[in-house]
Amino acid sequence: GAVVSQHPSWVICKSGTSVKIECRSLDFQATTMFWYRQFPKQSLMLMATSNEGSKATYEQGVEKDKFLINHASLTLSTLTVTSAHPEDSSFYICSARDPGQGKDTQYFGPGTRLTVL
Amino acid sequence: DQQVKQNSPSLSVQEGRISILNCDYTNSMFDYFLWYKKYPAEGPTFLISISSIKDKNEDGRFTVFLNKSAKHLSLHIVPSQPGDSAVYFCAASDGGYNKLIFGAGTRLAVHP
């Protein structure tokens, strides 16, 4: 299947700082990428849909000014958690849709564990 | 409002037997369904999918069945192996926005 990478795999930061997470599709071009958040023992919560060359579409309740998404190329989307606070600590996962595969099949990155002190 | 439900939070199966994971949905606009497997601290791995025009799709040990009238799908794993122990997520899409709606997951434990 298609390969999606994320960097970093884990990050610890101080409260008030900003953290950038990268998501790359390695062997295909992804016009659409997705950012999810997962709390312990819970399901994946879609945060936003990232479209190459246009603004991201945020889900209800997700602050777009806090979670900045940039999809600058067909293989890279970034999520920046601005002015991070301890409640932002979570597991962030990106996914990408491979147009060459099944209709809506998304391939996921390995995730990024964010801990805000 | 949970549009995709996995009512069993956990399932324990003996190695070599069949594992059956269930998923129910409420939105009749969903036309594509997927199963993902997830280990702790890793991203989900795509397993198998099915379109609403089919009622069965098979890939090796994994078979997904779709019952549209009951708005129910299931994943069968035969034979179950210890390496199958993970959390399994059911997901659905209505095609319009490419968004996937995930269930809460079922933790499968395959024991010797």
Side-chain angles (χ1 to χ4, degrees):
Chain A
V3 180
V4 176
S5 71
Q6 264 182 259
H7 178 81
S9 57
W10 60 270
V11 57
I12 301 173
C13 70
K14 292 182 178 180
S15 185
T17 61
S18 295
V19 175
K20 180 186 283 188
I21 303 170
E22 293 185 348
C23 177
R24 295 181 185 271
S25 56
L26 297 185
D27 52 0
F28 64 99
Q29 292 184 329
T31 54
T32 305
M33 291 183 171
F34 304 85
W35 287 96
Y36 293 82
R37 184 174 178 177
Q38 185 184 28
F39 292 100
K41 299 184 179 180
Q42 294 188 27
S43 187
L44 292 87
M45 182 192 80
L46 179 65
M47 298 174 65
T49 301
S50 170
N51 299 298
E52 188 267 336
S54 64
K55 290 182 180 179
T57 303
Y58 290 81
E59 294 299 301
Q60 191 174 15
V62 178
E63 298 176 61
K64 62 180 181 181
D65 294 330
K66 179 163 188 65
F67 299 100
L68 300 179
I69 291 172
N70 188 322
H71 195 154
S73 76
L74 287 171
T75 59
L76 173 64
S77 175
T78 60
L79 168 68
T80 301
V81 183
T82 63
S83 186
H85 290 284
E87 57 265 29
D88 298 324
S89 298
S90 190
F91 193 57
Y92 292 87
I93 314 173
C94 73
S95 72
R97 191 173 64 86
D98 183 352
Q101 298 296 321
K103 191 169 77 73
D104 291 323
T105 302
Q106 293 179 22
Y107 295 90
F108 286 81
T112 298
R113 169 76 58 193
L114 170 63
T115 302
V116 185
L117 302 176
Chain B
D1 176 31
Q2 277 189 295
Q3 297 187 68
V4 178
K5 300 178 184 179
Q6 292 177 257
N7 293 319
S8 297
S10 63
L11 175 67
S12 181
V13 172
Q14 190 171 26
E15 181 178 4
R17 308 291 280 266
I18 184 171
S19 294
I20 301 177
L21 298 113
N22 294 303
C23 179
D24 297 294
Y25 61 96
T26 58
N27 190 339
S28 58
M29 297 301 291
F30 287 150
D31 65 351
Y32 193 67
F33 305 88
L34 309 92
W35 284 95
Y36 286 87
K37 173 182 178 180
K38 186 180 182 300
Y39 294 113
E42 293 185 12
T45 302
F46 170 70
L47 280 177
I48 192 168
S49 62
I50 187 167
S51 165
S52 61
I53 63 174
K54 295 186 176 182
D55 54 18
K56 176 183 175 181
N57 189 24
E58 193 171 352
D59 184 0
R61 296 186 300 115
F62 303 94
T63 303
V64 56
F65 295 93
L66 175 63
N67 182 332
K68 282 186 297 182
S69 61
K71 293 191 177 71
H72 176 84
L73 65 153
S74 60
L75 174 68
H76 292 208
I77 306 174
V78 182
S80 301
Q81 300 172 353
D84 295 330
S85 298
V87 177
Y88 289 78
F89 288 98
C90 164
S93 167
D94 65 5
Y97 299 97
N98 297 321
K99 293 196 304 186
L100 292 183
I101 309 298
F102 282 84
T106 296
R107 182 175 302 278
L108 172 65
V110 180
H111 56 87

